Amino acid sequence: MHDPDTFQPPDAIPLAGVIGWPVAHSRSPALHSHWLRRYGIAGAYVPLAVLPEHLGQVLHTLPKAGFVGVNVTIPHKEAVLALADIVTDRAALIGAANTLIFRPDGRLHADNTDGYGFMANLRQHAPDWVPEQCPSAVIGAGGAARAVVAALLEAHVPEIRIANRTRLRADQLRAEFGARIVVYEWAQAGNMLDGAATVVNATSMGMTGRPPLRIPLDALGTDALVTDLVYNPLETTFLAEARARGCRTVDGLGMLLHQAAPGFERWFGHRPEVDDDLRRAALA
Ligand code: ATR
């Protein structure tokens, strides 16, 4: 007899996707489809354009159509927390989720893998990077910056300096994340680079079509690792200037690739590799 609580026939092909509005720009379908092909897994990953007012209804329905989980992107990353039954600590701390798992018991599990992706990218491209001995400097205080700050705190960075155009948002980060956060005035952002082992652009400045991030780099030490969350273009003006000063730089594409891996593993049962083939697939 049909058990109304069992959505999946035994031979179901697992489905996943990315929910956004708009969603056509998302690279996630290219990444996951590459992995599905590479590992010979019967499954599919599709873009799902969903209006904010339909999000709850869609999340309720997808598991009944064979979906095992989804990524969520702009503008749904915060709203999804209120709809989830289980929210991981890191998603709660960041205040946003990007990876949802539709559990067999019907419960919706929400996680945030952006901070994991950020750390995994730096560890892959700078294996000897030691973040925990010196301060980090983060430019920006939006959603992406929150994930970076949470990850750096978890990595035992002793001090995280933040400057943001809208100072109030940086002050809010300090109020939520605690005394290891030190807020700098936007006009003095260059000063926070002095002695920093890690420097991160977590603003949207430098993205194709937008002005570059302009911060005086005079205080930047040559042993600092400099990274940009912007990956379009791969080398932003900010990264090019840091590289010209002798710093090691890591582009932001790897964060996007690595944040996708935990979801893929949960949904399709295989821990995928982040390598040059995947980079090419993401850029194609
Ligand atoms: P995301 O989730 O990608 O972080 P967001 O929450 O909109 O997106 O944050 C964008 C970040 O880029 C913020 O730090 C923003 O600064 P404000 O908080 O002052 O808006 C920063 N940003 C965007 N445009 C900027 C600009 N022209 N100059 C400086 N910072 C800018």
Side-chain angles (χ1 to χ4, degrees):
M1 221 185 89
H2 172 66
D3 173 356
D5 291 331
T6 306
F7 301 141
Q8 301 285 323
D11 58 349
I13 290 174
L15 305 176
V18 53
I19 297 183
W21 184 272
V23 79
H25 66 278
S26 172
R27 303 311 300 153
S28 294
L31 302 184
H32 288 274
S33 300
H34 168 85
W35 279 332
L36 286 168
R37 269 195 309 277
R38 171 165 177 181
Y39 300 115
I41 295 170
Y45 185 104
V46 291
L48 298 159
V50 176
L51 280 167
E53 58 265 39
H54 295 154
L55 182 63
Q57 190 189 353
V58 167
L59 290 177
H60 187 70
T61 307
L62 285 178
K64 299 173 185 156
F67 278 77
V68 290
V70 285
N71 287 122
V72 280
T73 187
I74 294 165
H76 304 305
K77 285 175 128 182
E78 289 86 20
V80 84
L81 289 188
L83 299 165
D85 301 298
I86 303 159
V87 176
T88 62
D89 288 348
R90 56 190 180 176
L93 186 66
I94 294 164
N98 68 342
T99 304
L100 304 183
I101 294 143
F102 302 140
R103 291 169 38 137
D105 64 7
R107 289 197 288 172
L108 177 60
H109 180 275
D111 194 6
N112 192 314
T113 65
D114 285 334
Y116 163 80
F118 171 76
M119 295 303 285
N121 182 37
L122 295 188
R123 296 211 189 277
Q124 181 177 32
H125 292 285
D128 56 345
W129 171 59
V130 182
E132 61 270 24
Q133 280 166 10
C134 294
S136 292
V138 177
I139 303 145
R146 294 178 73 90
V148 167
V149 168
L152 291 172
L153 284 173
E154 208 184 329
H156 307 292
V157 171
E159 177 181 309
I160 300 172
R161 302 165 178 174
I162 299 180
N164 193 53
R165 176 182 59 175
T166 309
R167 169 148 185 156
L168 184 65
R169 287 181 100 184
D171 289 335
Q172 269 162 0
L173 268 178
R174 188 179 189 283
E176 283 175 53
F177 287 88
R180 275 195 279 161
I181 311 298
V182 179
V183 176
Y184 281 64
E185 280 297 332
W186 181 241
Q188 261 135 46
N191 292 348
M192 72 177 181
L193 309 183
D194 188 17
T198 314
V199 177
V200 187
N201 173 32
T203 73
S204 45
M205 304 299 291
M207 210 178 264
T208 302
R210 310 198 59 169
L213 174 70
R214 293 273 180 213
I215 300 267
L217 298 184
D218 310 285
L220 182 64
T222 52
D223 49 356
L225 179 68
V226 181
T227 187
D228 201 320
L229 303 197
V230 170
Y231 56 84
N232 180 19
L234 274 180
E235 186 172 66
T236 58
T237 303
F238 177 64
L239 285 187
E241 286 174 355
R243 195 163 57 85
R245 298 182 69 86
C247 292
R248 265 191 310 173
T249 60
V250 178
D251 70 58
L253 182 62
M255 175 172 169
L256 174 80
L257 307 182
H258 282 284
Q259 63 77 33
F264 187 91
E265 183 177 15
R266 290 293 294 266
W267 304 323
F268 300 115
H270 188 98
R271 183 74 183 182
E273 237 182 288
V274 173
D275 56 13
D276 286 343
D277 282 350
L278 184 71
R279 269 179 86 86
R280 277 190 287 276
L283 293 170

